[in-house]
Amino acid sequence: MLDRTPEAYKRKIDSHRRTYEANRARGICVFCRTRQARPGLCSCEACAEKLNEYAARRRAELIASHICPECGKPMRPTETRKTCFACRLKRAERAKARYYAQGRGKEKQLNANQ
């Protein structure tokens, strides 16, 4: 019989975390645990390719079902873009913050004030 207590769940999670950290420290792929991971990364080339294929397929399925692939919320039937309005707005805000953080936006502000 399975032990489904919170303590057993915590032990299982801790065991997985230790195994993950040990494999990562040794440079072994954390997914298949058999091949060498790519330098500086946690997965081997074969597992990375599988993960990329799955992600692309899943994203296409979500878009076809009119579900935003970023937040998972249903999109309006009239929406023609790939992500919902809220996610596009958040992405635009992040891009704007990066733009100004790099100092590129300050030049235009100074020229506009002169």
Side-chain angles (χ1 to χ4, degrees), residues 7-21:
E7 294 81 21
Y9 180 74
K10 184 172 178 3
R11 280 193 310 271
K12 183 177 180 180
I13 294 297
D14 289 342
S15 173
H16 282 287
R17 185 174 295 123
R18 281 191 307 272
T19 303
Y20 173 90
E21 292 299 333

Side-chain angles (χ1 to χ4, degrees), residues 51-71:
L51 289 170
N52 287 341
E53 288 171 2
Y54 170 77
R57 189 171 59 248
R58 180 72 178 139
R59 182 175 173 83
E61 289 170 358
L62 290 172
I63 291 169
S65 301
H66 263 67
I67 297 174
C68 177
E70 291 187 23
C71 67

Side-chain angles (χ1 to χ4, degrees), residues 18-113:
R18 281 191 307 272
T19 303
Y20 173 90
E21 292 299 333
N23 286 334
R24 185 163 178 137
R26 289 192 312 247
I28 296 173
C29 176
V30 297
F31 297 104
C32 67
R33 299 183 204 150
T34 56
R35 291 183 286 274
Q36 200 66 23
R38 297 172 294 166
L41 300 172
C42 65
S43 63
C44 64
E45 192 65 41
C47 289
E49 188 175 315
K50 287 178 191 175
L51 289 170
N52 287 341
E53 288 171 2
Y54 170 77
R57 189 171 59 248
R58 180 72 178 139
R59 182 175 173 83
E61 289 170 358
L62 290 172
I63 291 169
S65 301
H66 263 67
I67 297 174
C68 177
E70 291 187 23
C71 67
K73 293 180 184 174
M75 295 192 304
R76 291 178 290 195
T78 57
E79 191 74 57
T80 58
R81 305 220 177 153
K82 294 181 180 181
T83 56
C84 68
F85 179 75
C87 288
R88 288 196 311 274
L89 191 62
K90 288 177 192 173
R91 190 181 313 122
E93 289 296 322
R94 286 191 305 264
K96 184 178 178 182
R98 266 193 320 270
Y99 180 80
Y100 283 107
Q102 293 171 351
R104 296 189 302 192
K106 293 178 184 175
E107 297 167 2
K108 289 185 180 181
Q109 284 181 332
L110 291 175
N111 291 338
N113 291 335

